Amino acid sequence: MIPATFDYVRAGSIDEVVDTLKEHGDEAKLLAGGHSLLPLMKLRFAAPEVLIDLGRVEQLRGVRDLGDGRLAIGAMTRHIDVMDDPLVREHCAVLADVTAKVGDPQVRHRGTIGGALAHGDAASDLPAALAALDGTLVAQGPNGSREIAASDFFVDYLTTALEDDELVTEVRVPKIVGPWGWRYEKFTRVAQAWAIVGVLAMVKRSNGSIEEARVGLTNMATVPVRASGVEQALSGRTPDAIADAAANAADGTKPSSDLSASAEYREHLARVLTRRALEAAAR
Amino acid sequence: MTAVDTPTTSNVGTTKLRKEDAHLVTGRTQWTDNIQLTGMLHVAVVRSPMAHARVTKVDVSAALEQPGVVAAFSGADLADQWAGGLPCAWPVTEDMQSPTHLPIATDEVRHVGDAVAVVVADSRYGAADATEFIDVEYEPLTAVVDMEAALADGSPLTDTQLDTNRSFTWQKIDGDVDAAFGSAAHVVERRFINQRLIPTAIEPRAVVCAPPREHREYTMWSATQVPHILRLMLALTCGVPEHELRVIAPDVGGGFGSKLNVYAEEAICLVLAKRLGKPIKWTESRSEGYQATIHGRDQIQDVALAFNEDHTLRGMKVELHADMGAYLQLVTPGVPLLGAFMFNAIYKMDALSFTCHGVLTNKTPTDAYRGAGRPEATYAIERLMDEAANELGVEPFELRERNWIKHEEFPYTTVAGIEYDSGNYEAATAKAKELFDYDGLRAEQQRRREQGDKVQLGIGISTFTEMCGLAPSRVLGSLSYGAGGWEHASVRMLPSGKVEVITGTSPHGQGHVTSWSQIAADALGIPFEDIEVRHGDTAVAHKGMDTYGSRSLVVGGYAVQVACDKVVAKAKRVAAHLLEAAEDDLEFDAGTFQVKGSPDANTSMQDVALAIFAAHDYPEDMEPSLDSDATVDPENFSYPHGTHLCATEVDTETGAVTIRSYVAVDDVGTVINPQIVEGQVHGGLAQGIAQALYEEAVYDAEGQLKTGSLLDYFVPAAPDLPHFTTDRTETPATTNPLGVKGVGEAGTIASTPAVINAVVDALRPMGVNDVLMPASPQNVWNAIQAAAPADGGAA
Ligand SMILES: Cc1cc2nc3c(=O)[nH]c(=O)nc-3n(C[C@H](O)[C@H](O)[C@H](O)COP(=O)(O)OP(=O)(O)OC[C@H]3O[C@@H](n4cnc5c(N)ncnc54)[C@H](O)[C@@H]3O)c2cc1C
């Protein structure tokens, strides 16, 4: 639990972050809440030569209304501040609800939305949520900024579309308008842990039937997965169709086998939890 | 014992806030890792990444070039420093096979985490960085992981110096087992797996060793439960005379048996302090500790019960495979043998055969972990009683009650040949059933079974007993243990009327300072606040057997009581002298010596203490001192018991288990401090439930520890545990003057089978008769899948 030696740079602005990244290339790592990075460093699975601390970059914090039907959440906004933010609660409460299930209170008071997404771990809760929301991330590098869709951002296990000299500056999510219901079913070994499988179901109802359904799966592949077959099967149907549709929830997934669950069991859980999440969301 | 009047003041039996807590909760503790000494150096240990290999080369030269590095040594460099290997104090058989266990391996490593070299630097970080520059070459050898395969002919060996992986086979047969089984109407047989666990004390292990300064004495601070045993054993291992070594256990943050040992790092720090002449510190990281600190449990249990037609229990057969790991640590081989006296539990039977194969494997050594041998035994018998009830078609309580020892039958000599002095299983059970609403829950269970609910209710029973108060020295001798089980206490009356109690027990969270103060306050009639309890330093508490096996109160508290009684007896003589009365005419109550019938003729314990300090006027035939020592050797073990009931909700679709309610009615004899007792029960329940539902140390076929950190080894936290309903019955022990039985392990021992019985009970209608521990969702789901009819028509 003793990290290797590293240099420490405290950045004051986004420009300074970009300059420092450019200077050090892949020898540098950005430090947000440190709750994913520092454990890796302490086990010496990661040994960056330079840590660039984003903690004092005020531009990266907070939530604003983009005015185009979306909210922008600064990358350094901590989980707890996402959960408590009035704009998030009013316009995208589903994100607050999922974030409330991340780790434990200590983790939520240090970990950030940007770090949780940039880490690229499909076992974390927020990637699947961002996928289900069709959210985007804004990346900034030496050549300016670009917006990347969640579906393009997550490439593989702990691998994202970010370049070595880019940082995530903000996360954009649509305002949820209309009669949507949602439920995040997070299935864990102990109460405060990563999901064995997680399912976020969002359902828009109209006149007793399902106008639109979205299903995001946590930890069912190396990247977050949308159960698109289930979504399509429910469009325009009544909630009675949920059980049959959910039976296909594991189609197209590639879950891993580990000490907590076999791949076969994860697929089973995905089906059961998808049904339960959809039933709750459609109520 | 000296006959003295019983005082009427009562600290004993009341909840006193713990004297220890103010400094603990305000962070004014002295953990070993907090100790900073001038010139102190830090040692980091290079550990084998392989389970079994020949070490062909260790080159430390590049490490010596690193900044801040003072020294680096291979095992061979230090081989001449050890007077012997690390000790195993429990040679259970004459032909027991025990791999040589040097603190740093020389030519063969036998488990992942075995030490191969050390680096000493001026900072902890510098030492850790330099370990990467030590060049070790390994030639892999086959790792022995599976216990049964290890005993098969032609198995690869755990240790190439031995010719077998069988450390020992130990047998104890009581009664005529063949007769019991031969004529039985029903035999119920099962194989249970008691999985390997990793003790996880909040404070990791840490050691500081300072070389002699003004004195000729080395001083070692260690996060240990056993400063006295450690001193003796290190003296033998490192060739430092015992009187030149002082061991201090400062504040110690939990142990559960994992700090009941003599570890390589303690020997390494002593030898390095000797060699380098500087204070040396080592603190383990959590993942390091998971490889280098003992594990617990790990048994394959083949068990069978024989019953008569009328469901009377006739006999029991037990055959154990117990995983020793790669080395025999301090009491490794003795742990499973405690089961020889415990598998029969609270039940009467004519015959019991117990066979234990101690098996060496290339894994971290096992040793005593909270309960040590008794949780394993209790798990097997209480699971088996539920299985038997199911097979015989009787209510599980009915089967237990038919066979348990009735309260009027105590004292009762069990089939295993030990005498249970007292107990009342009927009373504890009646109370537990009422608190639990047993009949109401059974009715609900029936309803939900009929409705085919997706979430089923299960009810689990555990009517347990255990043996505590380790231990009568003669019994330990008969079991080939290397030492006795006595305990020592001293009481010093200070001139101002304050008191110092010195105890040989070594608390690490149990609150001895508080409980011992309560005992002494009542015995001496001195206010609770005026008593200080000192412990855990061999220069202060010169004699002791330390803390483990729920022994401290039963043996150490008993010693405090006896030492106090001696003080009172001496004080009474002085008081009689000062009051010019006959000793027989004095009464002692609440700290006052009173001449019977003369209200004005009295004196206090404090006045007597001052008078004897001045020593101007005292009886001719005594020394001018009230101070007293007592070394007590218990005449028997103590036998706490109780009835635990657990209700689980089991989601038959996902396999998820939730504990809905838990009732623990414990009988731990007389209670000194109810809140401390309750705290011990709560912590014990958490650890027993952890084995049932969450924790398992997993090794792969190459002997790699797959659960090497808290990320994969699931220690439950508060949100994972239910509300505990705890209550007590009080049947005092008759074998010590306090009537106490010990409570340190009860919760752990009782709860594991209660929870698993509840999980199995929930799934019984689906054809499930066992669930592997931990009953994780995956394991429960597997059990449901395995039981499901071939057409897949599970409920
Ligand atoms: C005990 C524990 C339990 C946890 N439980 C859960 C859980 O249940 N569910 C869950 O989802 N998560 C869980 N987490 C992870 C937690 O949410 C982390 O906080 C989060 O994954 C990473 O956020 P961070 O701010 O700490 O990032 P850091 O650890 O600081 O960084 C993580 C990675 O992202 C990079 N990075 C950080 N910020 C940026 C940026 N702006 N641009 C580009 N790259 C960046 C870093 O360089 C690093 O590679 C847990 C963590 C712990 C320690």
Side-chain angles (χ1 to χ4, degrees):
Chain A
M1 293 305 259
I2 298 180
T5 312
F6 55 85
D7 286 333
Y8 173 83
V9 178
R10 178 188 283 153
S13 68
I14 293 176
D15 288 344
E16 204 184 322
V17 175
V18 173
D19 288 346
T20 319
L21 273 177
K22 206 170 130 192
E23 185 184 336
H24 296 283
D26 63 358
E27 272 148 26
K29 268 277 176 196
L30 299 174
L31 176 66
H35 268 45
S36 293
L37 182 56
L38 296 187
L40 291 177
M41 289 173 61
K42 285 176 166 186
L43 293 166
R44 299 200 175 200
F45 293 152
E49 284 174 21
V50 184
L51 275 194
I52 306 168
D53 188 350
L54 303 179
R56 299 283 172 95
V57 186
E58 285 307 321
Q59 298 151 282
L60 293 175
R61 269 181 218 284
V63 181
R64 58 200 172 95
D65 191 331
L66 285 172
D68 61 355
R70 295 188 300 166
L71 300 177
I73 303 167
M76 284 299 288
T77 311
R78 297 178 307 160
H79 299 316
I80 184 76
D81 296 323
V82 171
M83 286 158 57
D84 288 350
D85 185 83
L87 286 172
V88 173
R89 298 188 79 92
E90 187 182 343
H91 300 296
C92 197
V94 55
L95 183 64
D97 289 352
V98 174
T99 306
K101 297 210 170 173
V102 170
D104 55 40
Q106 284 101 315
V107 172
R108 295 194 291 271
H109 279 78
R110 290 300 297 189
T112 64
I113 187 168
L117 294 167
H119 194 54
D121 183 355
S124 337
D125 302 299
L126 297 182
L130 198 70
L133 283 165
D134 283 330
T136 62
L137 297 99
V138 178
Q140 186 150 338
N143 307 322
S145 80
R146 60 184 179 125
E147 193 168 345
I148 310 170
S151 50
D152 297 327
F153 184 78
F154 301 102
V155 175
D156 201 347
Y157 179 63
L158 302 190
T159 310
T160 67
L162 274 189
E163 300 293 339
D164 282 342
D165 53 7
E166 285 182 313
L167 79 153
V168 174
T169 54
E170 66 187 26
V171 178
R172 294 177 176 176
V173 290
K175 293 184 181 175
I176 304 299
V177 189
W180 284 88
W182 57 83
R183 169 69 65 92
Y184 185 50
E185 286 282 341
K186 182 175 178 180
F187 195 84
T188 57
R189 270 296 291 281
V190 287
Q192 298 172 340
W194 271 270
I196 294 175
V197 173
V199 178
L200 173 61
M202 299 177 63
V203 172
K204 188 176 189 188
R205 290 150 301 190
S206 74
N207 302 326
S209 67
I210 297 171
E211 187 181 317
E212 185 183 349
R214 298 177 175 204
V215 178
L217 304 178
T218 295
N219 211 9
M220 286 300 291
T222 54
V223 292
V225 179
R226 284 279 289 271
S228 39
V230 179
E231 295 176 353
Q232 281 152 21
L234 287 176
S235 164
R237 305 283 302 278
T238 66
D240 294 341
I242 286 175
D244 284 345
N248 300 320
D251 293 1
T253 61
K254 272 209 197 83
S256 60
S257 282
D258 58 28
L259 292 175
S260 287
S262 66
E264 184 199 1
Y265 176 55
R266 281 204 161 87
E267 289 173 2
H268 168 77
L269 281 179
R271 292 188 282 267
V272 174
L273 299 175
T274 297
R275 191 195 75 224
R276 290 182 182 179
L278 281 166
E279 279 170 354
R283 256 201 294 276
Chain B
M1 258 190 344
T2 333
V4 288
D5 308 296
T6 315
T8 56
T9 33
S10 218
N11 284 284
V12 166
T14 62
T15 287
K16 291 274 183 186
L17 291 185
R18 300 200 328 162
K19 290 183 171 181
E20 294 89 339
D21 287 342
H23 88 282
L24 282 169
V25 299
T26 54
R28 280 175 291 158
T29 36
Q30 170 83 307
W31 309 114
T32 299
D33 189 52
N34 293 144
I35 291 166
Q36 301 294 345
L37 301 174
T38 311
M40 190 167 76
L41 301 173
H42 299 258
V43 61
V45 181
V46 179
R47 298 183 183 280
S48 170
M50 282 181 211
H52 194 196
R54 226 181 287 287
V55 180
T56 51
K57 176 180 150 194
V58 182
D59 180 356
V60 302
S61 54
L64 292 170
E65 306 297 312
Q66 296 305 306
V69 171
V70 174
F73 301 102
S74 67
D77 295 337
L78 294 179
D80 62 353
Q81 299 287 314
W82 321 118
L86 291 167
C88 171
W90 206 333
V92 296
T93 59
E94 271 173 23
D95 60 352
M96 181 179 83
Q97 301 296 305
S98 180
T100 303
H101 190 187
L102 294 183
I104 309 176
T106 50
D107 42 19
E108 187 174 339
V109 284
R110 299 182 184 85
H111 67 89
V112 171
D114 215 355
V116 286
V118 291
V119 191
V120 186
D122 58 8
S123 75
R124 192 177 176 204
Y125 282 74
D129 286 345
T131 57
E132 295 186 2
F133 293 87
I134 293 197
D135 183 14
V136 187
E137 281 176 14
Y138 300 96
E139 188 183 298
L141 295 166
T142 309
V144 177
V145 178
D146 180 274
M147 277 196 275
E148 287 178 302
L151 293 186
D153 284 344
S155 165
L157 294 166
T158 312
D159 177 350
T160 58
Q161 303 302 304
L162 301 178
D163 54 15
T164 173
N165 295 316
R166 183 189 301 274
S167 176
F168 62 87
T169 289
W170 191 94
Q171 202 166 44
K172 182 174 186 290
I173 295 178
D174 297 290
D176 189 340
V177 182
D178 290 340
F181 276 79
S183 59
H186 308 280
V187 172
V188 182
E189 273 180 279
R190 284 288 186 283
R191 165 169 281 208
F192 296 122
I193 308 294
N194 211 280
Q195 83 273 28
R196 181 178 273 251
L197 300 178
I198 306 181
T200 308
I202 293 260
E203 184 209 15
R205 283 197 297 125
V207 190
V208 172
C209 187
R213 298 242 179 224
E214 300 92 59
H215 305 286
R216 286 171 51 217
E217 157 189 282
Y218 289 87
T219 307
M220 174 172 291
W221 292 261
S222 182
T224 183
Q225 297 171 230
V226 290
H228 297 92
I229 294 174
L230 184 59
R231 179 195 196 197
L232 170 62
M233 292 298 177
L234 279 182
L236 299 176
T237 306
C238 301
V240 172
E242 192 182 352
H243 65 291
E244 291 176 20
L245 176 61
R246 171 182 179 188
V247 176
I248 301 171
D251 284 315
V252 178
F256 315 112
S258 71
K259 295 172 181 167
L260 188 199
N261 231 304
V262 179
Y263 280 108
E265 297 80 7
E266 288 161 330
I268 289 169
C269 287
L270 176 55
V271 154
L272 291 175
K274 194 165 143 188
R275 178 115 174 198
L276 301 173
K278 297 272 193 168
I280 306 286
K281 182 193 267 188
W282 173 81
T283 301
E284 77 179 1
S285 72
R286 184 65 67 186
S287 38
E288 185 179 22
Y290 270 23
Q291 299 178 354
T293 297
I294 59 104
H295 294 177
R297 317 274 190 265
D298 207 346
Q299 292 184 357
I300 301 170
Q301 311 176 309
D302 290 299
V303 284
L305 292 176
F307 290 93
N308 273 346
E309 196 61 61
D310 66 354
H311 304 159
T312 316
L313 195 47
R314 297 288 311 282
M316 183 172 196
K317 285 189 207 168
V318 178
E319 182 164 8
L320 299 183
H321 286 78
D323 196 334
M324 307 283 99
Y327 299 107
L328 304 183
Q329 287 274 358
L330 193 64
V331 297
T332 302
V335 168
L337 305 193
L338 291 176
F341 306 91
M342 277 287 108
F343 273 89
N344 54 302
I346 64 171
Y347 307 110
K348 296 182 280 190
M349 59 182 82
D350 310 327
L352 169 66
S353 81
F354 174 91
T355 306
C356 176
H357 310 290
V359 186
L360 297 165
T361 60
N362 292 113
K363 293 180 243 173
T364 294
T366 57
D367 205 316
Y369 175 47
R370 200 171 191 173
R374 295 156 286 159
E376 296 91 321
T378 304
Y379 179 73
I381 180 68
E382 287 304 299
R383 280 285 298 115
L384 199 52
M385 286 303 274
D386 260 30
E387 293 306 305
N390 180 54
E391 284 188 22
L392 300 173
V394 286
E395 224 283 336
F397 263 124
E398 194 185 314
L399 186 67
R400 285 172 167 84
E401 193 159 359
R402 168 170 293 273
N403 289 292
W404 73 36
I405 303 158
K406 308 281 178 293
H407 69 273
E408 63 274 13
E409 292 174 306
F410 287 93
Y412 182 89
T413 301
T414 72
V415 64
I418 53 177
E419 187 181 274
Y420 293 179
D421 61 310
S422 68
N424 190 335
Y425 309 141
E426 296 91 329
T429 298
K431 201 169 208 173
K433 280 172 102 167
E434 191 189 323
L435 288 168
F436 190 68
D437 186 20
Y438 186 77
D439 296 333
L441 284 172
R442 280 282 183 221
E444 180 187 331
Q445 177 182 49
Q446 192 53 38
R447 233 174 16 249
R448 287 169 59 175
R449 283 182 176 176
E450 282 158 15
Q451 290 164 5
D453 280 11
K454 289 261 188 277
V455 178
Q456 283 289 327
L457 176 66
I459 295 168
I461 301 168
S462 171
T463 49
F464 80 106
T465 189
E466 53 157 333
M467 52 202 276
C468 287
L470 270 48
S473 298
R474 288 183 192 86
V475 176
L476 289 179
S478 72
L479 291 171
S480 320
Y481 182 61
W486 46 262
E487 195 46 84
H488 184 81
S490 306
V491 175
R492 296 184 199 143
M493 285 299 309
L494 304 179
S496 60
K498 313 290 183 196
V499 176
E500 284 179 338
V501 172
I502 296 112
T503 177
T505 64
S506 195
H508 40 282
Q510 297 88 342
H512 295 180
V513 171
T514 303
S515 301
W516 285 204
S517 293
Q518 289 179 260
I519 294 168
D522 280 5
L524 301 170
I526 296 279
F528 172 77
E529 295 73 20
D530 289 356
I531 297 166
E532 185 56 85
V533 178
R534 301 191 185 281
H535 59 78
D537 177 346
T538 59
V540 175
H542 67 283
K543 212 177 157 186
M545 276 293 179
D546 306 317
T547 288
Y548 43 84
S550 303
R551 70 184 303 274
S552 294
L553 177 60
V554 184
V555 195
Y558 176 6
V560 171
Q561 176 73 42
V562 174
C564 288
D565 291 345
K566 290 182 181 178
V567 170
V568 173
K570 289 186 200 177
K572 195 172 186 182
R573 289 175 64 194
V574 179
H577 177 83
L578 295 173
L579 295 168
E580 296 178 356
E583 243 187 276
D584 285 349
D585 290 340
L586 285 192
E587 276 172 345
F588 179 60
D589 186 28
T592 302
F593 294 97
Q594 173 76 49
V595 180
K596 286 177 211 159
S598 313
D600 296 335
N602 61 58
T603 186
S604 69
M605 182 62 108
Q606 287 91 338
D607 288 344
V608 173
L610 186 60
I612 206 79
F613 168 73
H616 298 159
D617 183 16
Y618 62 97
E620 297 263 311
D621 55 350
M622 73 181 279
E623 295 173 13
S625 170
L626 302 179
D627 297 350
S628 295
D629 288 290
T631 304
V632 305
D633 195 6
E635 60 181 80
N636 191 353
F637 296 94
S638 60
Y639 304 95
H641 70 82
T643 297
H644 287 213
L645 291 170
C646 176
T648 54
E649 302 275 351
V650 182
D651 184 332
T652 60
E653 277 191 300
T654 62
V657 175
T658 315
I659 297 181
R660 168 163 143 187
S661 59
Y662 195 102
V663 169
V665 174
D666 283 285
D667 195 323
V668 297
T670 308
V671 167
I672 306 296
N673 185 319
Q675 194 176 63
I676 288 180
V677 165
E678 203 178 340
Q680 288 290 316
V681 171
H682 277 222
L685 293 177
Q687 260 167 325
I689 291 170
Q691 175 167 22
L693 297 182
Y694 301 112
E695 297 184 17
E696 180 178 24
V698 180
Y699 281 87
D700 70 11
E702 276 72 52
Q704 292 291 333
L705 179 62
K706 305 303 283 178
T707 50
S709 78
L710 285 165
L711 201 58
D712 315 291
Y713 186 85
F714 292 98
V715 177
D720 300 298
L721 299 165
H723 172 80
F724 299 132
T725 303
T726 59
D727 206 335
R728 290 191 307 273
T729 55
E730 254 185 62
T731 316
T734 62
T735 51
N736 67 67
L738 292 163
V740 296
K741 297 181 177 175
V743 68
E745 295 155 304
T748 315
I749 291 169
S751 55
T752 309
V755 176
I756 297 297
N757 279 340
V759 174
V760 173
D761 185 55
L763 300 175
R764 195 78 81 183
M766 303 175 83
V768 171
N769 289 318
D770 198 19
V771 172
L772 278 181
M773 292 198 289
S776 63
Q778 169 92 64
N779 280 344
V780 173
W781 187 73
N782 288 350
I784 294 170
Q785 296 304 108
D791 64 8

